[in-house]
């Protein structure tokens, strides 16, 4: 087990994308880039309210005036129509359909985006007099460095909020999540540590489960630090954002391997395991191959998803091919484990064992199906709410799944009776030195 986990962590460390960019944007307006794409894409933002603001600062005013530099703002639906129209619209016709236009002839420009009936995404593009011309007239034209801030109105109506409509509330959510983790740690950390130190049949399971929980808590704390800084400057701490994603991926890998390792004893092998250790992972070629394949596949898909997703703060995204494949993988895992456990539950005569299997199946299915289920549920909501619902929902559902597993594996009446009554159908066995009831 240790080698596989180290391999997954090594993959994550060696292949990691840079931190995502915030909503204080810095870069250069390029005539060449604008001409090649019929408008240089600067970014997008979900404005809401009546006093949203776009603020741009440039230094080289002379070059901007000479190039007739402008910014064009398109509503997402309008821009999608223009893209689908393809060759129907010429370059100049596309730009003329912008809902808002800003002429850059000053050091600082402020554009108020008002009268927005509901939150919606806006795309910002740069273009100048060279954008729709043929040839390479712009080859010697100097680029224009800029700094842009995209702001929404705060609770008092002032344009100071760096969060888009789709990100609003995440800062407060991660604060509450960190607070809950802290309170739970103060209450249960000592007793859990004592249970792990005592060893017994639950030693390895509790270690892996606790490691996954600590990674989840670390992800929440890193997200809180990033969002706290982001709320002040619109940039945040990109390293902490990437660290939060890393912790989340590592936690997903830990939990996947834990659940697979526990289920292998039920679904693949029915032989009696060695009594040399309190916890025996199934190590047959078939089960090891499946576990290795699943862990590496999920690791690659999670990392691929991070590289494909360009928008900031998009946890548990499903818009890319990698995100869709992850959903399919989780559904397949839930179905395969669910079918295996269902066969055992229907054939089991012992009430205690059946109750144990049912509770374990609930934890597994909730862990794997919460993401696909929330993606389906989010369809009924507006676009700007979907990513937020999925992010918060997945974190809460997986936290509940961890609580279910903790209660199950620390239960005297369930796990101890099941594991002591039968070591054939469980991958967890009890050595001769642990015949008495443990005291957690």
């Amino acid at each position: 087990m240790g080698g596989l986990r180290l391999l997954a962590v090594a993959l994550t460390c060696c292949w990691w994308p840079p931190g995502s960019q915030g909503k204080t944007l810095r870069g250069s307006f390029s005539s060449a880039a604008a001409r090649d794409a019929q408008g240089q894409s600067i970014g997008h933002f979900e404005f809401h309210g009546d006093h949203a603001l776009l603020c741009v600062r440039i230094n080289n005013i002379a070059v901007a005036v000479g190039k007739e530099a402008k910014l064009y703002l398109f509503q997402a639906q309008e821009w999608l129509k223009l893209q689908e129209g393809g060759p129907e619209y010429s370059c100049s016709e596309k730009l003329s359909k912008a809902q808002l236009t800003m002429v850059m002839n000053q050091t600082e420009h402020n554009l108020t985006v008002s009268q927005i009936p509901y939150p919606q995404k806006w795309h910002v593009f740069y273009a100048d007099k060279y954008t729709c011309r043929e040839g390479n007239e712009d080859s010697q034209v100097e680029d224009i460095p800029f700094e842009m801030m995209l702001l929404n109105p705060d609770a008092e109506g002032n344009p100071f909020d760096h969060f888009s409509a789709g990100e609003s509330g995440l800062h407060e959510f991660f604060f509450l999540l960190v607070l809950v983790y802290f309170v739970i740690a103060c209450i249960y950390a000592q007793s859990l540590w004592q249970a792990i130190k005592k060893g017994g049949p639950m030693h390895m399971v509790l270690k892996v489960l606790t490691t996954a929980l600590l990674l989840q808590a670390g992800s929440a704390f890193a997200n809180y630090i990033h969002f706290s800084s982001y709320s002040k400057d619109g940039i945040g701490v990109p390293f902490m954002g990437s660290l939060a994603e890393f912790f989340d991926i590592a936690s997903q890998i830990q939990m996947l391997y834990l659940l697979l390792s526990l289920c292998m004893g039920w679904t693949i092998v029915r032989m009696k395991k060695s009594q040399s250790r309190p916890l025996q992972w199934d190590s047959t070629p078939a089960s090891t191959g499946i576990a290795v394949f699943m862990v590496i596949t999920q690791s690659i898909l999670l990392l691929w998803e991070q590289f494909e997703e360009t928008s900031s703060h998009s946890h548990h995204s499903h818009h890319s091919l990698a995100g869709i494949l992850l959903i399919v993988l989780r559904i397949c895992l839930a179905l395969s484990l669910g079918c295996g456990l269902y066969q055992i539950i229907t054939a089991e005569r012992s009430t205690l064992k059946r109750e144990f299997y049912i509770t374990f199946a609930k934890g597994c299915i909730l862990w794997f199906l919460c993401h696909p289920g929330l993606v389906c549920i989010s369809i009924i909501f507006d676009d700007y709410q979907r990513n937020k619902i999925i992010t918060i929902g997945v974190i809460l559902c997986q936290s509940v799944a961890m609580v279910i597993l903790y209660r199950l594996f620390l239960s005297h009446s369930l796990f101890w009776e099941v594991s002591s009554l039968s070591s054939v159908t469980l991958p967890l066995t009890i050595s001769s030195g642990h015949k008495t009831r443990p005291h957690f």
Side-chain angles (χ1 to χ4, degrees):
M1 183 187 75
L4 235 176
R5 287 162 57 195
L6 288 174
L7 174 61
V9 172
L11 279 170
T12 309
C13 291
C14 295
W15 185 18
W16 190 250
S20 58
Q21 193 177 34
K23 289 310 173 186
T24 294
L25 309 176
R26 296 188 178 99
S28 296
F29 295 130
S30 170
S31 296
R35 180 176 53 81
D36 293 340
Q38 294 186 351
Q40 180 187 2
S41 177
I42 305 301
H44 58 80
F45 193 70
E46 290 165 336
F47 290 108
H48 66 82
D50 291 332
H51 298 92
L53 183 69
L54 185 150
C55 178
V56 182
R57 297 187 183 97
I58 59 175
N59 294 325
N60 202 334
I61 302 173
V63 175
V65 172
K67 295 199 297 183
E68 300 177 9
K70 295 180 182 179
L71 287 180
Y72 297 86
L73 275 71
F74 296 85
Q75 292 180 359
Q77 293 179 349
E78 183 65 27
W79 178 250
L80 183 61
K81 291 178 182 178
L82 293 174
Q83 292 295 95
E84 292 174 350
E88 289 184 24
Y89 301 100
S90 65
C91 172
S92 57
E93 286 176 335
K94 283 185 179 180
L95 296 177
S96 67
K97 292 185 177 295
Q99 280 72 37
L100 295 172
T101 304
M102 175 192 290
V103 179
M104 290 187 288
N105 52 14
Q106 300 176 16
T107 302
E108 182 172 331
H109 302 76
N110 293 320
L111 177 64
T112 299
V113 184
S114 59
Q115 297 180 349
I116 303 175
Y118 56 90
Q120 52 188 305
K121 183 184 293 184
W122 290 69
H123 294 273
V124 183
F125 290 87
Y126 166 81
D128 53 40
K129 67 180 183 180
Y130 301 106
T131 300
C132 297
R133 292 184 183 178
E134 299 293 336
N136 296 317
E137 296 180 54
D138 60 337
S139 58
Q140 303 299 322
V141 177
E142 186 179 351
D143 292 344
I144 306 172
F146 72 90
E147 179 181 272
M148 179 185 298
M149 287 190 295
L150 302 164
L151 302 165
N152 273 320
D154 57 16
E156 298 178 355
N158 300 314
F160 298 143
D161 187 3
H162 291 277
F163 292 103
S164 70
E167 298 164 339
S168 62
L170 288 178
H171 181 208
E172 293 79 5
F173 168 74
F174 283 112
F175 169 75
L176 293 175
L177 188 62
V178 170
L179 182 61
V180 169
Y181 276 127
F182 177 75
V183 172
I184 291 176
C186 292
I187 298 173
Y188 296 107
Q190 185 176 1
S191 58
L192 182 59
W193 174 246
Q194 290 175 353
I196 294 175
K197 282 180 64 178
K198 285 183 179 179
M202 292 311 304
H203 177 68
M204 186 59 70
V205 172
L206 289 177
K207 280 181 63 177
V208 178
L209 190 58
T210 302
T211 301
L213 179 62
L214 290 174
L215 288 169
Q216 289 276 36
S219 176
F221 183 67
N223 268 318
Y224 172 67
I225 294 176
H226 173 58
F227 279 108
S228 295
S229 178
Y230 185 90
S231 66
K232 300 173 183 176
D233 59 14
I235 298 175
V237 186
F239 170 75
M240 297 304 294
S242 295
L243 188 64
E245 294 288 351
F246 168 76
F247 283 153
D248 183 66
I249 288 177
S251 175
Q252 299 292 326
I253 293 170
Q254 286 271 23
M255 285 298 295
L256 173 64
Y257 196 77
L258 170 66
L259 297 179
L260 282 177
S261 298
L262 292 175
C263 289
M264 288 305 163
W266 297 325
T267 57
I268 293 182
V269 175
R270 292 301 182 91
M271 66 177 62
K272 188 176 180 67
K273 295 182 181 296
S274 169
Q275 300 288 326
S276 61
R277 290 187 296 171
L279 177 62
Q280 281 288 103
W281 303 103
D282 191 351
S283 58
T284 63
S287 62
T288 301
I290 291 176
V292 170
F293 174 77
M294 290 297 183
V295 169
I296 293 180
T297 300
Q298 177 167 281
S299 303
I300 292 174
L301 288 177
L302 285 167
L303 293 169
W304 179 13
E305 181 186 36
Q306 294 304 311
F307 278 98
E308 280 201 346
E309 186 55 51
T310 57
S311 63
S312 61
H313 314 151
S314 58
H315 312 284
H316 309 288
S317 174
H318 60 282
H319 304 290
S320 62
L321 175 60
I324 295 173
L325 292 177
L326 268 173
I327 290 176
V328 173
L329 175 64
R330 286 164 178 158
I331 293 174
C332 291
L333 284 170
L335 290 176
S336 61
L337 297 182
C339 290
L341 290 172
Y342 176 76
Q343 293 176 357
I344 295 173
I345 291 169
T346 53
E348 185 56 61
R349 297 180 179 180
S350 169
T351 303
L352 281 174
K353 291 182 185 180
R354 192 161 55 245
E355 186 179 350
F356 175 84
Y357 296 138
I358 291 173
T359 306
F360 182 79
K362 290 178 182 178
C364 288
I365 292 173
L366 179 60
W367 181 272
F368 288 123
L369 288 187
C370 64
H371 185 199
L374 286 165
V375 168
C376 295
I377 293 172
S378 68
I379 295 175
I380 66 177
F381 294 91
D382 294 328
D383 289 343
Y384 74 94
Q385 295 177 316
R386 291 174 185 172
N387 183 63
K388 187 163 48 178
I389 289 171
I390 294 171
T391 298
I392 295 175
V394 168
I395 292 174
L396 293 179
C397 288
Q398 292 186 344
S399 298
V400 171
M402 281 189 169
V403 171
I404 292 174
L405 294 176
Y406 263 117
R407 293 190 63 182
L408 179 67
F409 293 131
L410 288 173
S411 170
H412 294 291
S413 59
L414 284 179
F415 179 79
W416 183 258
E417 295 295 338
V418 172
S419 59
S420 60
L421 285 171
S422 174
S423 59
V424 178
T425 59
L426 280 173
L428 309 170
T429 60
I430 300 172
S431 64
S432 58
H434 293 280
K435 294 294 184 183
T436 59
R437 182 180 294 273
H439 301 284
F440 294 130

